[in-house]
């Protein structure tokens, strides 16, 4: 939009004057949000606290060859005490015993059978297309919800303009036993849209299964972009795309409401956590995702939201920084490589939500990893980069 132009849109959209944005609330009043772009929003329904038990929650379980965990995931939803829940399982052409496991649940769950292994993004798209709930949770088949989780999650949507709720997850081993660690280390709440649009910084978020979304907001951003080069990482688009439409809230008051399963030693690699980069360095993969994210947002927002900056996120930058240092044969080569990535990492810390003392502490830890002798820096890097080692 050209600065100085004036556009009047329906009451269900943002009304923009120049570079100011005003959101309509339920009473027809407007709260002003200053931004550099005229942003698009929607008539986001409010989940009233007194009616929360009436809200339908759709849990979409995405599965590929996790038959040995699948019953655990489904049972964790069936045992919830919330009154209205539907379960949808998208099986992504599994070749293990997943079909046999699901046969015992066909009277209680809906199942979508993919004829080809199309990946997580396709599974999200198909599962959401079948969902009829007011709130949607995408649950990986190897993860599980804790007792009473959904009732607390629904309550967290009571806030004004909340479109996404996230919570902590306990880390469990392959047998489902707690490791004593949890993710993420930091949970944030509020309007994260300016952080993404104006700074190119991705806010700290829980991993995929520890997020819930307002269905009416998801409808604005779905389907997720499919890419032959990367079929996974669906939660990247839901977590950050939906934050452009409203606020993020926290469920559970900081307590874990789900379990995140670690599978093998690759999950406990010295300087990494979670899913592997699948052929790309993490920063390179983020560069590709940034480009896809920008095109995708421009498409569903009809050019009303413009994400022009390359996206970065502290957890990715710190892992790339540490791995690049310790991949070098000698101290001085590691120092040189680390200095090359220091600027971007410090930028991600500077714009990360949090107090000045926290940011100073993180910067100090990063500098210690960079300059200390490698035997001394390695345990610090491991502690910082891999939550399962804490």
């Amino acid at each position: 939009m050209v600065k100085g132009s004036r556009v009047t849109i329906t009451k269900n959209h943002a009304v923009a004057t120049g570079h100011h944005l005003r959101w309509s609330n339920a009473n027809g009043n407007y709260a002003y949000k200053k931004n550099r772009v005229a942003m698009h929003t929607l008539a986001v329904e409010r989940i009233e606290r007194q009616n929360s038990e009436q809200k339908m929650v759709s849990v979409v379980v995405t599965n590929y060859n996790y038959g040995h965990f699948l019953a655990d995931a489904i049972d964790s939803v069936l045992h919830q005490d919330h009154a209205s829940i539907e379960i949808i399982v998208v099986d992504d052409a599994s070749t293990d015993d997943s079909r046999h496991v699901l046969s015992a649940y066909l009277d209680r769950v809906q199942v979508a059978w993919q004829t080809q292994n199309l990946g997580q993004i396709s599974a999200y798209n198909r599962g959401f297309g079948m969902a009829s709930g007011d709130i949607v949770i995408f649950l990986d088949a190897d993860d599980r919800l804790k007792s009473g989780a959904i009732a607390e999650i629904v309550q967290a949507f009571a806030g004004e303009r909340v479109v996404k709720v996230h919570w902590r997850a306990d880390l469990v081993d392959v047998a489902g036993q707690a490791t004593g660690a949890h993710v993420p280390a930091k949970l944030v709440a509020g309007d994260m849209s300016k952080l993404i649009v104006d700074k190119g910084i991705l806010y700290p978020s829980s991993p995929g299964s520890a997020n819930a979304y307002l269905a009416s907001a998801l409808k604005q951003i779905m389907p997720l972009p499919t890419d032959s080069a990367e079929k996974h990482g669906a939660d990247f688009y839901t977590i950050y795309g939906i934050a452009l439409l409203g606020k993020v809230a926290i469920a559970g008051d900081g307590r874990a409401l789900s379990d995140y399963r670690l599978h093998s030693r690759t999950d406990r690699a010295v300087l990494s956590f979670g899913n592997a980069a699948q052929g790309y360095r993490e920063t390179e993969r983020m560069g590709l995702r940034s480009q896809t994210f920008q095109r995708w947002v421009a498409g569903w927002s009809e050019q009303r939201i413009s994400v022009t900056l390359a996206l970065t996120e502290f957890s990715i930058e710190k892992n790339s920084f540490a791995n690049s240092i310790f991949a070098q044969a000698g101290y001085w080569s590691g120092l040189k490589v680390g200095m090359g990535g220091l600027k971007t990492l410090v930028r991600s810390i500077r714009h990360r939500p949090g107090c000045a003392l926290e940011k100073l502490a993180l910067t100090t830890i990063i500098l210690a990893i960079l300059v200390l002798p490698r035997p001394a820096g390695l345990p610090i890097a491991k502690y910082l980069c891999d939550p399962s080692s804490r």
Side-chain angles (χ1 to χ4, degrees):
M1 177 177 294
V2 178
K3 186 175 180 180
S5 63
R6 185 180 185 88
V7 178
T8 303
I9 312 176
T10 65
K11 65 180 181 181
N12 291 338
H13 292 74
V15 180
T17 304
H19 65 294
H20 287 79
L21 171 71
R22 55 181 182 176
W23 301 86
S24 69
N25 61 23
N27 299 319
N29 299 319
Y30 293 92
Y32 283 84
K33 295 283 184 182
K34 189 174 181 180
N35 211 321
R36 294 184 304 169
V37 296
M39 295 178 63
H40 175 68
T41 187
L42 66 154
V44 175
E45 63 179 272
R46 184 177 180 182
I47 303 287
E48 297 293 346
R49 187 174 298 273
Q50 62 270 28
N51 296 323
S52 62
E53 70 278 1
Q54 301 173 5
K55 299 300 178 181
M56 168 73 80
V57 177
S58 299
V59 180
V60 177
V61 181
T62 56
N63 175 64
Y64 177 64
N65 285 348
Y66 276 158
H68 45 307
F69 303 124
L70 187 53
D72 204 12
I74 295 174
D75 287 342
S76 77
V77 183
L78 290 174
H79 295 157
Q80 296 292 314
D81 55 7
H82 185 71
S84 185
I85 299 174
E86 67 174 3
I87 304 174
I88 300 161
V89 179
V90 181
D91 184 80
D92 199 21
S94 294
T95 58
D96 64 354
D97 65 342
S98 292
R99 184 175 289 269
H100 174 72
V101 173
L102 286 170
S103 67
Y105 293 95
L106 295 180
D107 59 333
R108 290 166 288 175
V109 307
Q110 303 175 59
V111 181
W113 305 100
Q114 303 271 63
T115 58
Q116 302 177 58
N117 179 232
L118 301 176
Q120 188 190 43
I121 292 176
S122 177
Y124 266 47
N125 286 337
R126 184 162 185 188
F128 180 70
M130 299 171 62
S132 59
D134 303 292
I135 296 166
V136 179
I137 300 170
F138 295 100
L139 181 66
D140 292 342
D142 56 333
D143 298 335
R144 62 194 180 194
L145 297 174
K146 292 184 182 292
S147 177
I150 288 183
E152 293 199 54
I153 292 163
V154 172
Q155 293 289 343
F157 276 95
E160 191 71 33
R161 289 184 54 237
V162 172
V163 295
K164 196 204 87 163
V165 168
H166 59 179
W167 55 91
R168 282 203 167 93
D170 283 333
L171 301 183
V172 299
D173 61 21
V174 70
Q177 300 301 307
T179 67
H182 64 261
V183 289
K186 181 183 182 67
L187 282 170
V188 298
D191 189 340
M192 299 294 139
S193 60
K194 287 192 68 176
L195 191 65
I196 298 171
V197 173
D198 289 356
K199 304 295 184 182
I201 300 294
L202 301 176
Y203 66 93
S205 177
S206 298
S209 295
N211 294 271
Y213 307 93
L214 196 65
S216 59
L218 273 180
K219 288 177 182 176
Q220 304 297 308
I221 70 173
M222 297 294 272
L224 305 181
T226 55
D227 188 338
S228 59
E230 185 183 29
K231 300 178 180 179
H232 305 283
D235 54 335
F236 174 86
Y237 297 99
T238 53
I239 286 170
Y240 301 115
I242 208 165
L244 299 174
L245 297 177
K247 293 182 179 179
V248 175
I250 300 170
D253 296 323
R255 293 177 291 104
L257 298 183
S258 60
D259 291 331
Y260 180 99
R261 196 181 304 264
L262 301 173
H263 290 276
S264 65
R265 292 183 62 86
T266 57
D267 285 318
R268 293 177 174 271
V270 173
L271 299 176
S272 65
F273 171 77
N275 298 324
Q278 299 181 351
Y280 297 108
R281 290 178 57 208
E282 286 186 284
T283 50
E284 292 171 345
R285 182 174 63 164
M286 176 57 75
L288 295 175
R289 280 185 175 176
S290 291
Q291 296 172 25
T292 302
F293 185 85
Q294 291 165 358
R295 293 191 299 267
W296 172 65
V297 169
W300 59 253
S301 70
E302 298 177 342
Q303 306 294 328
R304 291 184 176 92
I305 302 177
S306 178
V307 180
T308 58
L309 298 176
L311 301 175
T312 187
E313 201 268 328
F314 173 67
S315 65
I316 292 174
E317 294 299 334
K318 70 182 181 183
N319 287 354
S320 178
F321 174 79
N323 275 289
S324 66
I325 291 174
F326 290 95
Q328 305 304 310
Y331 175 85
W332 294 109
S333 58
L335 182 65
K336 181 179 179 180
V337 170
M339 288 294 293
L342 190 60
K343 181 178 179 181
T344 301
L345 179 55
V346 171
R347 174 176 169 269
S348 73
I349 294 174
R350 186 173 73 249
H351 294 299
R352 188 172 189 256
C355 67
L357 183 60
E358 176 187 344
K359 295 176 182 181
L360 177 61
L362 287 173
T363 303
T364 302
I365 292 171
I366 290 299
L367 291 175
I369 292 171
L370 176 64
V371 302
L372 284 176
R374 297 296 169 248
L378 185 59
I380 300 173
K382 181 178 180 181
Y383 181 87
L384 179 68
C385 297
D386 183 8
S388 67
S389 68
R390 298 171 190 167

